[in-house]
PDB file of all heavy atoms in Angstrom:
ATOM      1  N   ALA Y 251     -42.392  26.996  52.583  1.00  0.00           N
ATOM      2  CA  ALA Y 251     -42.132  25.770  53.346  1.00  0.00           C
ATOM      3  C   ALA Y 251     -40.750  25.829  53.996  1.00  0.00           C
ATOM      4  O   ALA Y 251     -40.578  25.387  55.148  1.00  0.00           O
ATOM      5  CB  ALA Y 251     -42.222  24.561  52.415  1.00  0.00           C
ATOM      6  N   ALA Y 252     -39.780  26.381  53.272  1.00  0.00           N
ATOM      7  CA  ALA Y 252     -38.442  26.514  53.847  1.00  0.00           C
ATOM      8  C   ALA Y 252     -38.445  27.472  55.032  1.00  0.00           C
ATOM      9  O   ALA Y 252     -37.758  27.242  56.039  1.00  0.00           O
ATOM     10  CB  ALA Y 252     -37.463  26.993  52.775  1.00  0.00           C
ATOM     11  N   GLN Y 253     -39.241  28.549  54.940  1.00  0.00           N
ATOM     12  CA  GLN Y 253     -39.342  29.472  56.067  1.00  0.00           C
ATOM     13  C   GLN Y 253     -40.009  28.813  57.265  1.00  0.00           C
ATOM     14  O   GLN Y 253     -39.608  29.046  58.418  1.00  0.00           O
ATOM     15  CB  GLN Y 253     -40.118  30.718  55.637  1.00  0.00           C
ATOM     16  CG  GLN Y 253     -39.379  31.584  54.621  1.00  0.00           C
ATOM     17  CD  GLN Y 253     -40.221  32.770  54.170  1.00  0.00           C
ATOM     18  OE1 GLN Y 253     -41.413  32.849  54.469  1.00  0.00           O
ATOM     19  NE2 GLN Y 253     -39.606  33.672  53.427  1.00  0.00           N
ATOM     20  N   ASP Y 254     -41.007  27.987  57.014  1.00  0.00           N
ATOM     21  CA  ASP Y 254     -41.670  27.271  58.114  1.00  0.00           C
ATOM     22  C   ASP Y 254     -40.709  26.313  58.813  1.00  0.00           C
ATOM     23  O   ASP Y 254     -40.851  26.040  60.016  1.00  0.00           O
ATOM     24  CB  ASP Y 254     -42.871  26.493  57.583  1.00  0.00           C
ATOM     25  CG  ASP Y 254     -43.985  27.415  57.101  1.00  0.00           C
ATOM     26  OD1 ASP Y 254     -43.995  28.587  57.533  1.00  0.00           O
ATOM     27  OD2 ASP Y 254     -44.813  26.971  56.276  1.00  0.00           O
ATOM     28  N   LEU Y 255     -39.734  25.801  58.046  1.00  0.00           N
ATOM     29  CA  LEU Y 255     -38.755  24.879  58.630  1.00  0.00           C
ATOM     30  C   LEU Y 255     -37.562  25.605  59.254  1.00  0.00           C
ATOM     31  O   LEU Y 255     -36.606  24.959  59.676  1.00  0.00           O
ATOM     32  CB  LEU Y 255     -38.252  23.910  57.550  1.00  0.00           C
ATOM     33  CG  LEU Y 255     -39.314  22.951  56.996  1.00  0.00           C
ATOM     34  CD1 LEU Y 255     -38.740  22.143  55.829  1.00  0.00           C
ATOM     35  CD2 LEU Y 255     -39.808  22.015  58.090  1.00  0.00           C
ATOM     36  N   GLY Y 256     -37.622  26.936  59.298  1.00  0.00           N
ATOM     37  CA  GLY Y 256     -36.574  27.701  59.967  1.00  0.00           C
ATOM     38  C   GLY Y 256     -35.568  28.336  59.047  1.00  0.00           C
ATOM     39  O   GLY Y 256     -34.586  28.932  59.527  1.00  0.00           O
ATOM     40  N   GLY Y 257     -35.771  28.231  57.745  1.00  0.00           N
ATOM     41  CA  GLY Y 257     -34.832  28.834  56.812  1.00  0.00           C
ATOM     42  C   GLY Y 257     -34.965  30.341  56.766  1.00  0.00           C
ATOM     43  O   GLY Y 257     -36.054  30.887  56.938  1.00  0.00           O
ATOM     44  N   ARG Y 258     -33.864  31.020  56.535  1.00  0.00           N
ATOM     45  CA  ARG Y 258     -33.857  32.473  56.459  1.00  0.00           C
ATOM     46  C   ARG Y 258     -33.100  32.898  55.212  1.00  0.00           C
ATOM     47  O   ARG Y 258     -32.285  32.178  54.658  1.00  0.00           O
ATOM     48  CB  ARG Y 258     -33.198  33.084  57.713  1.00  0.00           C
ATOM     49  CG  ARG Y 258     -33.983  32.851  59.001  1.00  0.00           C
ATOM     50  CD  ARG Y 258     -35.295  33.641  58.977  1.00  0.00           C
ATOM     51  NE  ARG Y 258     -36.046  33.455  60.222  1.00  0.00           N
ATOM     52  CZ  ARG Y 258     -36.953  32.531  60.429  1.00  0.00           C
ATOM     53  NH1 ARG Y 258     -37.217  31.649  59.453  1.00  0.00           N
ATOM     54  NH2 ARG Y 258     -37.589  32.453  61.567  1.00  0.00           N
ATOM     55  N   GLN Y 259     -33.380  34.134  54.786  1.00  0.00           N
ATOM     56  CA  GLN Y 259     -32.622  34.709  53.681  1.00  0.00           C
ATOM     57  C   GLN Y 259     -31.236  35.112  54.197  1.00  0.00           C
ATOM     58  O   GLN Y 259     -31.083  35.494  55.343  1.00  0.00           O
ATOM     59  CB  GLN Y 259     -33.341  35.953  53.121  1.00  0.00           C
ATOM     60  CG  GLN Y 259     -34.691  35.665  52.502  1.00  0.00           C
ATOM     61  CD  GLN Y 259     -34.593  34.917  51.181  1.00  0.00           C
ATOM     62  OE1 GLN Y 259     -33.498  34.579  50.719  1.00  0.00           O
ATOM     63  NE2 GLN Y 259     -35.733  34.649  50.577  1.00  0.00           N
ATOM     64  N   PRO Y 260     -30.192  35.028  53.365  1.00  0.00           N
ATOM     65  CA  PRO Y 260     -30.197  34.657  51.949  1.00  0.00           C
ATOM     66  C   PRO Y 260     -30.055  33.152  51.692  1.00  0.00           C
ATOM     67  O   PRO Y 260     -29.884  32.749  50.547  1.00  0.00           O
ATOM     68  CB  PRO Y 260     -28.980  35.399  51.413  1.00  0.00           C
ATOM     69  CG  PRO Y 260     -28.016  35.393  52.559  1.00  0.00           C
ATOM     70  CD  PRO Y 260     -28.859  35.517  53.808  1.00  0.00           C
ATOM     71  N   TRP Y 261     -30.128  32.337  52.768  1.00  0.00           N
ATOM     72  CA  TRP Y 261     -29.970  30.886  52.578  1.00  0.00           C
ATOM     73  C   TRP Y 261     -31.046  30.339  51.647  1.00  0.00           C
ATOM     74  O   TRP Y 261     -30.763  29.499  50.783  1.00  0.00           O
ATOM     75  CB  TRP Y 261     -30.050  30.195  53.940  1.00  0.00           C
ATOM     76  CG  TRP Y 261     -29.864  28.714  53.870  1.00  0.00           C
ATOM     77  CD1 TRP Y 261     -28.684  28.036  53.950  1.00  0.00           C
ATOM     78  CD2 TRP Y 261     -30.893  27.723  53.689  1.00  0.00           C
ATOM     79  NE1 TRP Y 261     -28.911  26.680  53.837  1.00  0.00           N
ATOM     80  CE2 TRP Y 261     -30.254  26.463  53.673  1.00  0.00           C
ATOM     81  CE3 TRP Y 261     -32.274  27.785  53.541  1.00  0.00           C
ATOM     82  CZ2 TRP Y 261     -30.973  25.282  53.507  1.00  0.00           C
ATOM     83  CZ3 TRP Y 261     -32.991  26.614  53.379  1.00  0.00           C
ATOM     84  CH2 TRP Y 261     -32.339  25.364  53.364  1.00  0.00           C
ATOM     85  N   ILE Y 262     -32.296  30.820  51.806  1.00  0.00           N
ATOM     86  CA  ILE Y 262     -33.389  30.327  50.970  1.00  0.00           C
ATOM     87  C   ILE Y 262     -33.127  30.645  49.504  1.00  0.00           C
ATOM     88  O   ILE Y 262     -33.374  29.822  48.613  1.00  0.00           O
ATOM     89  CB  ILE Y 262     -34.730  30.936  51.433  1.00  0.00           C
ATOM     90  CG1 ILE Y 262     -35.058  30.450  52.853  1.00  0.00           C
ATOM     91  CG2 ILE Y 262     -35.845  30.589  50.466  1.00  0.00           C
ATOM     92  CD1 ILE Y 262     -36.315  31.058  53.414  1.00  0.00           C
ATOM     93  N   PHE Y 263     -32.622  31.850  49.258  1.00  0.00           N
ATOM     94  CA  PHE Y 263     -32.378  32.242  47.862  1.00  0.00           C
ATOM     95  C   PHE Y 263     -31.308  31.363  47.226  1.00  0.00           C
ATOM     96  O   PHE Y 263     -31.489  30.855  46.124  1.00  0.00           O
ATOM     97  CB  PHE Y 263     -31.958  33.713  47.798  1.00  0.00           C
ATOM     98  CG  PHE Y 263     -31.605  34.177  46.409  1.00  0.00           C
ATOM     99  CD1 PHE Y 263     -32.600  34.498  45.497  1.00  0.00           C
ATOM    100  CD2 PHE Y 263     -30.275  34.283  46.020  1.00  0.00           C
ATOM    101  CE1 PHE Y 263     -32.275  34.920  44.222  1.00  0.00           C
ATOM    102  CE2 PHE Y 263     -29.948  34.695  44.740  1.00  0.00           C
ATOM    103  CZ  PHE Y 263     -30.954  35.021  43.834  1.00  0.00           C
ATOM    104  N   PHE Y 264     -30.195  31.164  47.917  1.00  0.00           N
ATOM    105  CA  PHE Y 264     -29.083  30.418  47.322  1.00  0.00           C
ATOM    106  C   PHE Y 264     -29.328  28.912  47.296  1.00  0.00           C
ATOM    107  O   PHE Y 264     -28.847  28.225  46.385  1.00  0.00           O
ATOM    108  CB  PHE Y 264     -27.788  30.717  48.099  1.00  0.00           C
ATOM    109  CG  PHE Y 264     -27.226  32.079  47.807  1.00  0.00           C
ATOM    110  CD1 PHE Y 264     -27.343  33.097  48.745  1.00  0.00           C
ATOM    111  CD2 PHE Y 264     -26.596  32.357  46.608  1.00  0.00           C
ATOM    112  CE1 PHE Y 264     -26.833  34.361  48.494  1.00  0.00           C
ATOM    113  CE2 PHE Y 264     -26.084  33.616  46.340  1.00  0.00           C
ATOM    114  CZ  PHE Y 264     -26.203  34.624  47.284  1.00  0.00           C
ATOM    115  N   GLN Y 265     -30.082  28.389  48.258  1.00  0.00           N
ATOM    116  CA  GLN Y 265     -30.281  26.948  48.333  1.00  0.00           C
ATOM    117  C   GLN Y 265     -31.548  26.461  47.648  1.00  0.00           C
ATOM    118  O   GLN Y 265     -31.622  25.293  47.249  1.00  0.00           O
ATOM    119  CB  GLN Y 265     -30.302  26.518  49.812  1.00  0.00           C
ATOM    120  CG  GLN Y 265     -29.002  26.761  50.544  1.00  0.00           C
ATOM    121  CD  GLN Y 265     -27.866  25.915  49.996  1.00  0.00           C
ATOM    122  OE1 GLN Y 265     -28.054  24.779  49.553  1.00  0.00           O
ATOM    123  NE2 GLN Y 265     -26.656  26.458  50.033  1.00  0.00           N
ATOM    124  N   ILE Y 266     -32.528  27.330  47.486  1.00  0.00           N
ATOM    125  CA  ILE Y 266     -33.815  26.899  46.922  1.00  0.00           C
ATOM    126  C   ILE Y 266     -34.163  27.679  45.654  1.00  0.00           C
ATOM    127  O   ILE Y 266     -34.377  27.092  44.598  1.00  0.00           O
ATOM    128  CB  ILE Y 266     -34.937  27.065  47.973  1.00  0.00           C
ATOM    129  CG1 ILE Y 266     -34.661  26.143  49.169  1.00  0.00           C
ATOM    130  CG2 ILE Y 266     -36.299  26.764  47.354  1.00  0.00           C
ATOM    131  CD1 ILE Y 266     -35.658  26.279  50.284  1.00  0.00           C
ATOM    132  N   THR Y 267     -34.223  29.003  45.762  1.00  0.00           N
ATOM    133  CA  THR Y 267     -34.656  29.807  44.621  1.00  0.00           C
ATOM    134  C   THR Y 267     -33.669  29.728  43.472  1.00  0.00           C
ATOM    135  O   THR Y 267     -34.058  29.513  42.312  1.00  0.00           O
ATOM    136  CB  THR Y 267     -34.839  31.270  45.046  1.00  0.00           C
ATOM    137  OG1 THR Y 267     -35.675  31.336  46.197  1.00  0.00           O
ATOM    138  CG2 THR Y 267     -35.459  32.076  43.909  1.00  0.00           C
ATOM    139  N   LEU Y 268     -32.388  29.888  43.769  1.00  0.00           N
ATOM    140  CA  LEU Y 268     -31.368  29.927  42.712  1.00  0.00           C
ATOM    141  C   LEU Y 268     -31.300  28.629  41.920  1.00  0.00           C
ATOM    142  O   LEU Y 268     -31.231  28.672  40.685  1.00  0.00           O
ATOM    143  CB  LEU Y 268     -30.008  30.277  43.320  1.00  0.00           C
ATOM    144  CG  LEU Y 268     -28.921  30.693  42.332  1.00  0.00           C
ATOM    145  CD1 LEU Y 268     -29.345  31.936  41.563  1.00  0.00           C
ATOM    146  CD2 LEU Y 268     -27.611  30.947  43.059  1.00  0.00           C
ATOM    147  N   PRO Y 269     -31.304  27.445  42.561  1.00  0.00           N
ATOM    148  CA  PRO Y 269     -31.294  26.214  41.746  1.00  0.00           C
ATOM    149  C   PRO Y 269     -32.517  26.056  40.847  1.00  0.00           C
ATOM    150  O   PRO Y 269     -32.413  25.514  39.750  1.00  0.00           O
ATOM    151  CB  PRO Y 269     -31.231  25.099  42.802  1.00  0.00           C
ATOM    152  CG  PRO Y 269     -30.611  25.732  43.996  1.00  0.00           C
ATOM    153  CD  PRO Y 269     -31.130  27.134  44.001  1.00  0.00           C
ATOM    154  N   VAL Y 270     -33.682  26.555  41.304  1.00  0.00           N
ATOM    155  CA  VAL Y 270     -34.891  26.412  40.500  1.00  0.00           C
ATOM    156  C   VAL Y 270     -34.831  27.300  39.264  1.00  0.00           C
ATOM    157  O   VAL Y 270     -35.247  26.903  38.162  1.00  0.00           O
ATOM    158  CB  VAL Y 270     -36.134  26.728  41.344  1.00  0.00           C
ATOM    159  CG1 VAL Y 270     -37.392  26.731  40.483  1.00  0.00           C
ATOM    160  CG2 VAL Y 270     -36.275  25.718  42.470  1.00  0.00           C
ATOM    161  N   ILE Y 271     -34.313  28.520  39.419  1.00  0.00           N
ATOM    162  CA  ILE Y 271     -34.253  29.448  38.285  1.00  0.00           C
ATOM    163  C   ILE Y 271     -32.934  29.338  37.531  1.00  0.00           C
ATOM    164  O   ILE Y 271     -32.666  30.156  36.644  1.00  0.00           O
ATOM    165  CB  ILE Y 271     -34.462  30.903  38.750  1.00  0.00           C
ATOM    166  CG1 ILE Y 271     -33.298  31.355  39.639  1.00  0.00           C
ATOM    167  CG2 ILE Y 271     -35.786  31.057  39.471  1.00  0.00           C
ATOM    168  CD1 ILE Y 271     -33.353  32.833  39.997  1.00  0.00           C
TER     169      ILE Y 271
END
Side-chain angles (χ1 to χ4, degrees):
Q253 292 177 350
D254 292 339
L255 295 174
R258 294 292 181 269
Q259 296 289 1
W261 182 89
I262 295 177
F263 176 79
F264 285 106
Q265 297 295 326
I266 297 177
T267 308
L268 195 60
V270 174
I271 66 173

